[in-house]
Amino acid sequence: MSESAIKEVFISEAKEIIEKLESDLVQLEENEGDQEIVNRIFRSFHTLKGSSGIVGLTSIYNFSHKLENLLDRVRSGDIAVDNSLIDLILGSIDWIRDELFTEKADTDESKSAMNALQQRILEYTGEEKAVEAGEEEETGRAKPKAGVYNYFRIKARFADDVFETGIDPLMIIEDLLTVGTLLTKNVDREQLPALDAMNPERCYLSWDLIIKTLEPVDKINDVFMFVRDRNSITIEDVTASFSGRGRELPQEKRIGEILLEKGIISEAELDAVLKYHDSHKTKIGDIIVKKGLASEKDVKDALEEQEKLKKKIELNTVRVDTNRLDNILNLLGEIVIGQSSLNRIADELDDDKDTGFQLKNALYGLDRITREFQEQIMSIRMIPIGPSFEQFRRFVRDSAHERGKDIKLVIEGGDTELDKTVIEKISDPLKHMIRNAIDHGIEVPEEREAAGKAAAGLVTLRAYHQEGNVFIEVLDDGRGVNLAKVRSRAVERGLLKEDEEASRERLLSYLFHPGFSTADRVDDLSGRGVGMDVVKTNIEELRGTVELKSEEGKGTTIRIKLPLTLAIIDGMLVSIGRNIYIIPLLSIVESMQPKQEDVKTVEGKGEMISFRGEFVSLARLYDLFEIDARHKNPWEGLVIVVESANTRIGLLVDDLLGQQQIVIKSLDNYITRSRSISGAAILGDGKVALIVDIHGLVEDIMDINSAR
Amino acid sequence: MGKYIMVVDDSPTIRVSVEFALKATGIPVEQAENGAEALKKIKALTEKGDAIAMGIIDVNMPQMDGITFIKNFRKDDKFTPLIVLTTESEEHKIQEGKDAGASGWIVKPFQPAELLGVVQRFIR
């Protein structure tokens, strides 16, 4: 651990604190009276101050100290929360961020920005406070009053059980020597018993000292602060007591608060209950039930919630470098490979023989354990998506203000856990979709009211697990997609003929086309025509899919479906000639053997096959990968219909070999990059199989066909 | 039987700074993010036959604050020194810490040498 390493720790801590602060502030704006949030914000600045002080970032230390003071006044109710206060604090956070992470640090520009902010903070806290704060700021500690020596006489008679609080009187005397110089010293040994009667855990000595120092009497008091109560200490000419106000620590949620939040009881009712509780000392839950304010079930639910919160609070964690997890995961991958080769050997053994049967049984058990092991490791890589959602609060607030809209962000399912890498990669696409919702979805308040909606629009971020997949939804209750407009834009771009019929789904799918935008004007927020196609590409890189639903006048829902993990997938093994390829199970719609008459060549579109009433492009994989195949006619081989986003194509293969869990190995640069291949896997018999990247493949096929 | 210095603070920066400052003592430093975690870790250490030589505890922490930690710790252990980490705006906390059974305190931000000095006096 070096000092630069400490700084690194600080930088990552500061980043976390700033993110938390932003989310808390936007929440505070929505719930102005929420003391819990104010407490959290106060504590964030408090922590930031302490940490920045340690690493010697004086400017941030001083600045967060001022903010801490400001928040303390908000906490005590001196200063009310309003928009301009929140703007000020957000502005201050921006300054801290610039100072920490950008080139602006320590420039004249940043200094004048800081002065402006401090001036505004002063307007809240008042001159007097600021001067007082200014004094302690320079070094963060009280400075000795220069020039004049003080003399103090100290009589210290320690209680005989002083050692029982971990205090050694000698330590205190030594501490005193750091404050000043000792002039005289008398040790009173009268209480000292004979050696055989002496208890080594007892203190028998007293001191009488005179000390000369430049420090004020407070410093001497400080030294004895911990022993004054239980021991007899006198400091001559000095009577000082400790100042300080009682401060409430943030508390866990009370049951009454939970019921209040749920709207089951009212504030007045809660007050009455609390009064009764103070005078009767009965359990609050019991009082609420007895008074008929809530049913027993409500109270029980609230108690359970409280218990859950407590458990969350007690969570015990270890921080581990993700590289280590990746290493474990890779090793596990090797185990899975080793296991499948064992399985292959076992398959060749005769079942009737005892050993063959026993080996298979043992392998079956081992298989179960590895599967569970894998799930456990995967679950370590999983983190809740909540914080990632929270970071959008600020973004929504700022963008909405900019566009003159009133928008609330609702977050649901923040507990839903996703692979860390997925969460990192999904952040940008999410931002894009939220931006779209703000710009194109939600209307301005007047328009909303005219349409009979609430003035404030809602953007909802929702995450949930379903059938081994994670779903993430971005919903808005805005105007929805204007299909007529999409249609005319599609015709304009030549995607659709003037008189061509197009289903709702097909029209919506145009939104994912590169360069397609229905925005009336281009501005700095969105509407540049890059957007949903990039979102789609990013999601598909994570082996996920995007789906858009919209109802005019009511709103739009974008649903992202993602696999739980990235490193292991369910794959379908297919053979082409002597080669084995793996197709991700997630992308497969169906496999079929077409009739000869179902295969047609369409002008400008290449080979097509009829699949459930629609024509899909046919890709001859042997052709594409330039290898040999057993079957070159679609009606002899098998066609697997796969889907990427809203496009379906059929892949011609020789045969299906079965489905298997696949550990993905990434291909390094020594293999020519192909859009159609996403990686490789080692099979049980040691053979290597390439994994087909359906998204890339579909694009390749589309490119080839459109070039025809 | 190993001895550890336990540093309890919700700020990772403070924790690693303490660890850095105490390198000279040669005593390994165990970290905890809050009082509850610290109690658990101490329990685990004692079960292994190890012990803590002293504790350095932040006052203001989420989940279980320093004062509550000290009260709990003192139920089983009267002698191990516990130092409270405070900031100058929390002077009343020093008093609270003392009432709970703390042995000393140090004000943040501290210089490494300053902390080392205090610690060395407790664990000679």
Side-chain angles (χ1 to χ4, degrees):
Chain A
M1 186 63 60
S2 67
E3 285 190 56
S4 70
I6 294 178
K7 205 142 195 177
E8 263 170 46
V9 172
F10 169 72
I11 291 292
S12 90
E13 184 191 0
K15 218 177 220 162
E16 255 174 52
I17 293 177
I18 288 173
E19 274 171 19
K20 207 168 123 220
L21 270 170
E22 289 192 325
S23 146
D24 280 343
L25 276 162
V26 177
Q27 284 187 59
L28 182 65
E29 192 171 39
E30 283 164 19
N31 316 286
E32 283 177 2
D34 197 326
Q35 199 62 24
E36 184 60 34
I37 302 178
V38 175
N39 273 330
R40 281 209 301 265
I41 297 171
F42 169 81
R43 195 160 48 201
S44 290
F45 281 121
H46 180 80
T47 309
L48 189 64
K49 180 182 89 167
S51 304
S52 57
I54 284 285
V55 294
L57 290 168
T58 334
S59 60
I60 299 200
Y61 172 83
N62 287 338
F63 192 62
S64 35
H65 179 80
K66 292 207 169 74
L67 286 161
E68 185 194 7
N69 279 345
L70 175 67
L71 261 302
D72 190 31
R73 301 276 298 275
V74 176
R75 206 157 68 141
S76 62
D78 280 0
I79 296 171
V81 177
D82 58 19
N83 278 347
S84 79
L85 179 77
I86 286 174
D87 279 334
L88 170 60
I89 300 172
L90 283 175
S92 304
I93 294 170
D94 287 340
W95 181 84
I96 293 172
R97 196 202 329 256
D98 283 351
E99 194 72 6
L100 281 176
F101 308 116
T102 69
E103 304 287 311
K104 285 190 198 160
D106 249 357
T107 58
D108 288 345
E109 186 196 339
S110 110
K111 275 182 195 133
S112 71
M114 183 187 76
N115 285 334
L117 287 165
Q118 285 188 349
Q119 194 53 45
R120 284 171 65 196
I121 295 175
L122 274 188
E123 283 163 20
Y124 277 100
T125 53
E127 285 303 327
E128 209 182 37
K129 266 269 172 187
V131 173
E132 186 190 302
E135 267 179 13
E136 36 183 355
E137 267 162 22
E138 274 312 310
T139 54
R141 326 231 19 202
K143 277 193 171 167
K145 303 273 174 285
V148 193
Y149 280 110
N150 294 315
Y151 294 84
F152 298 108
R153 176 174 194 152
I154 299 150
K155 286 184 187 164
R157 180 170 298 277
F158 291 97
D160 65 348
D161 63 353
V162 62
F163 292 117
E164 292 197 0
T165 48
I167 289 169
D168 179 348
L170 201 54
M171 184 254 340
I172 289 176
I173 310 284
E174 280 183 1
D175 227 10
L176 204 55
L177 297 184
T178 64
V179 177
T181 32
L182 201 59
L183 294 183
T184 65
K185 163 188 81 173
N186 272 309
V187 182
D188 177 2
R189 298 185 188 82
E190 242 166 63
Q191 305 292 321
L192 208 61
L195 199 55
D196 55 354
M198 208 186 299
N199 178 344
E201 289 185 357
R202 293 275 169 261
C203 173
Y204 302 101
L205 302 176
S206 303
W207 287 263
D208 188 347
L209 314 163
I210 292 175
I211 192 167
K212 171 183 149 187
T213 175
L214 283 168
E215 301 282 354
V217 67
D218 285 2
K219 276 276 163 186
I220 311 284
N221 275 323
D222 278 359
V223 173
F224 289 99
M225 188 184 333
F226 273 85
V227 289
R228 287 204 97 171
D229 276 7
R230 275 170 245 123
N231 307 283
S232 149
I233 312 287
T234 56
I235 302 169
E236 241 167 87
D237 288 12
V238 168
T239 42
S241 58
F242 295 92
S243 63
R245 296 154 285 168
R247 268 190 196 145
E248 267 178 56
L249 284 167
Q251 291 159 337
E252 292 168 9
K253 266 200 192 154
R254 301 253 166 93
I255 179 150
E257 287 170 20
I258 295 173
L259 288 168
L260 188 66
E261 266 177 26
K262 288 186 164 180
I264 294 170
I265 60 172
S266 73
E267 222 157 307
E269 283 169 344
L270 179 59
D271 279 348
V273 169
L274 289 177
K275 265 193 203 123
Y276 187 87
H277 168 73
D278 285 343
S279 52
H280 291 72
K281 298 286 164 224
T282 330
K283 277 188 184 166
I284 291 195
D286 293 346
I287 304 172
I288 291 173
V289 175
K290 218 164 80 190
K291 294 207 166 194
L293 297 172
S295 69
E296 257 178 70
K297 189 181 170 300
D298 287 336
V299 172
K300 217 180 114 213
D301 287 349
L303 279 171
E304 270 169 20
E305 193 165 320
Q306 191 182 28
E307 202 51 42
K308 254 203 246 162
L309 283 170
K310 265 191 205 151
K311 271 196 194 132
K312 239 187 230 168
I313 285 165
E314 282 167 11
L315 265 184
N316 201 354
T317 54
V318 182
R319 278 180 196 229
V320 180
D321 187 349
T322 41
N323 282 336
R324 286 212 224 169
L325 286 183
D326 290 342
N327 286 343
I328 296 179
L329 205 59
N330 281 337
L331 285 174
L332 179 69
E334 301 295 331
I335 294 176
V336 172
I337 291 164
Q339 223 176 325
S340 48
S341 60
L342 277 176
N343 275 324
R344 208 177 49 86
I345 296 168
D347 278 344
E348 284 163 12
L349 287 177
D350 199 344
D351 256 2
D352 296 336
K353 294 218 178 89
D354 259 6
T355 44
F357 180 72
Q358 279 168 1
L359 178 62
K360 272 180 202 170
N361 247 353
L363 280 171
Y364 181 73
L366 186 61
D367 198 55
R368 233 186 33 224
I369 295 166
T370 8
R371 222 165 250 269
E372 198 169 315
F373 186 31
Q374 176 195 323
E375 273 166 26
Q376 292 292 328
I377 294 176
M378 290 303 186
S379 75
I380 298 175
R381 291 183 52 92
M382 303 290 233
I383 55 173
I385 197 166
S388 176
F389 278 177
E390 292 291 335
Q391 75 183 21
F392 291 117
R393 285 194 190 277
R394 171 97 191 255
F395 174 71
V396 170
R397 171 190 185 272
D398 289 354
S399 323
H401 280 204
E402 223 165 286
R403 314 300 248 92
K405 293 179 181 177
D406 188 0
I407 300 176
K408 297 241 176 311
L409 179 69
V410 179
I411 289 172
E412 290 172 14
D415 291 344
T416 310
E417 293 187 330
L418 269 80
D419 192 287
K420 192 171 182 290
T421 328
V422 178
I423 288 190
E424 279 161 10
K425 290 198 175 152
I426 206 170
S427 176
D428 281 346
L430 271 181
K431 194 170 187 175
H432 218 101
M433 289 182 274
I434 296 170
R435 182 182 290 161
N436 272 339
I438 295 169
D439 285 359
H440 309 315
I442 307 279
E443 314 88 330
V444 291
E446 303 80 60
E447 194 182 332
R448 290 182 64 89
E449 275 170 349
K453 294 186 192 175
L458 285 182
V459 172
T460 308
L461 289 177
R462 181 188 292 156
Y464 55 94
H465 280 192
Q466 203 175 359
E467 294 153 7
N469 292 298
V470 186
F471 289 87
I472 296 172
E473 293 179 349
V474 181
L475 294 84
D476 69 67
D477 66 345
R479 58 170 75 96
V481 175
N482 185 338
L483 286 176
K485 217 165 171 184
V486 173
R487 195 190 158 85
S488 68
R489 191 63 54 102
V491 173
E492 229 171 81
R493 294 181 56 89
L495 297 166
L496 200 67
K497 291 196 187 79
E498 192 85 51
D499 50 354
E500 199 175 332
E501 284 277 323
S503 68
R504 196 185 166 76
E505 285 68 35
R506 182 161 168 204
L507 285 176
L508 286 177
S509 76
Y510 287 134
L511 293 176
F512 294 100
H513 270 264
F516 196 94
S517 170
T518 61
D520 289 329
R521 58 204 174 90
V522 168
D523 57 42
D524 63 328
L525 279 174
S526 64
R528 283 189 196 282
V530 283
M532 288 310 288
D533 63 312
V534 178
V535 168
K536 193 186 74 168
T537 314
N538 284 343
I539 301 297
E540 283 175 356
E541 267 166 22
L542 297 169
R543 274 191 292 284
T545 54
V546 195
E547 187 184 288
L548 189 143
K549 278 186 194 152
S550 181
E551 199 169 333
E552 230 160 299
K554 289 202 172 156
T556 305
T557 301
I558 303 172
R559 191 157 71 144
I560 299 171
K561 180 179 169 189
L562 290 164
L564 268 181
T565 62
L566 288 178
I568 299 189
I569 59 161
D570 280 316
M572 176 64 78
L573 272 56
V574 301
S575 67
I576 305 171
R578 277 179 306 156
N579 297 282
I580 297 172
Y581 287 87
I582 295 162
I583 298 174
L585 218 51
L586 204 71
S587 323
I588 298 182
V589 181
E590 212 174 298
S591 63
M592 60 179 237
Q593 193 158 36
K595 296 194 187 95
Q596 190 165 356
E597 61 265 31
D598 286 342
V599 185
K600 298 205 161 62
T601 303
V602 179
E603 189 72 35
K605 284 189 172 171
E607 255 186 312
M608 310 281 278
I609 53 165
S610 159
F611 169 71
R612 293 186 183 275
E614 62 172 315
F615 275 95
V616 297
S617 293
L618 178 71
R620 295 170 182 260
L621 287 185
Y622 67 88
D623 215 12
L624 204 68
F625 297 146
E626 294 167 12
I627 50 172
D628 251 347
R630 273 191 292 138
H631 305 297
K632 308 224 161 163
N633 290 324
W635 50 91
E636 285 166 359
L638 265 176
V639 171
I640 300 177
V641 179
V642 294
E643 186 179 57
S644 162
N646 291 315
T647 313
R648 287 177 172 181
I649 60 169
L651 308 177
L652 174 59
V653 302
D654 284 347
D655 209 354
L656 296 182
L657 299 177
Q659 155 186 351
Q660 195 180 311
Q661 283 227 308
I662 304 293
V663 184
I664 300 177
K665 303 264 171 194
S666 60
L667 292 173
D668 282 321
N669 293 332
Y670 49 77
I671 293 183
T672 319
R673 284 211 162 268
S674 160
R675 272 208 294 187
S676 306
I677 298 294
S678 61
I682 300 172
L683 302 177
D685 55 6
K687 271 193 198 151
V688 173
L690 294 176
I691 301 165
V692 181
D693 183 332
I694 298 299
H695 172 62
L697 181 78
V698 168
E699 287 195 341
D700 276 350
I701 300 294
M702 291 299 133
D703 286 354
I704 293 169
N705 286 349
S706 64
R708 265 176 226 274
Chain B
M1 182 177 118
K3 281 248 180 193
Y4 294 84
I5 294 175
M6 173 68 81
V7 47
V8 193
D9 197 310
D10 53 333
S11 156
T13 310
I14 304 284
R15 293 199 302 270
V16 295
S17 302
V18 169
E19 186 168 359
F20 177 64
L22 297 186
K23 253 169 117 178
T25 63
I27 304 173
V29 171
E30 184 76 28
Q31 302 186 5
E33 275 179 42
N34 60 64
E37 194 191 341
L39 286 176
K40 272 190 194 160
K41 286 202 166 166
I42 289 168
K43 192 164 167 254
L45 282 176
T46 38
E47 275 166 7
K48 276 197 304 183
D50 296 335
I52 69 161
M54 89 182 287
I56 298 169
I57 298 107
D58 182 28
V59 189
N60 205 339
M61 290 180 288
Q63 298 164 34
M64 186 195 278
D65 64 272
I67 307 295
T68 315
F69 165 81
I70 293 170
K71 282 183 190 154
N72 277 305
F73 181 86
R74 280 284 179 244
K75 281 181 199 159
D76 304 322
D77 183 335
K78 289 197 165 69
F79 297 98
T80 303
L82 297 178
I83 294 184
V84 176
L85 280 173
T86 64
T87 60
E88 74 280 359
S89 50
E90 292 176 324
E91 281 181 352
H92 59 289
K93 288 291 179 194
I94 298 178
Q95 180 68 31
E96 274 182 45
K98 179 178 95 174
D99 291 343
S103 332
W105 77 98
I106 187 156
V107 177
K108 292 189 279 193
F110 49 78
Q111 293 296 318
E114 206 179 329
L115 177 72
L116 185 63
V118 172
V119 168
Q120 276 174 337
R121 239 168 282 144
F122 276 103
I123 53 166
R124 283 177 296 184

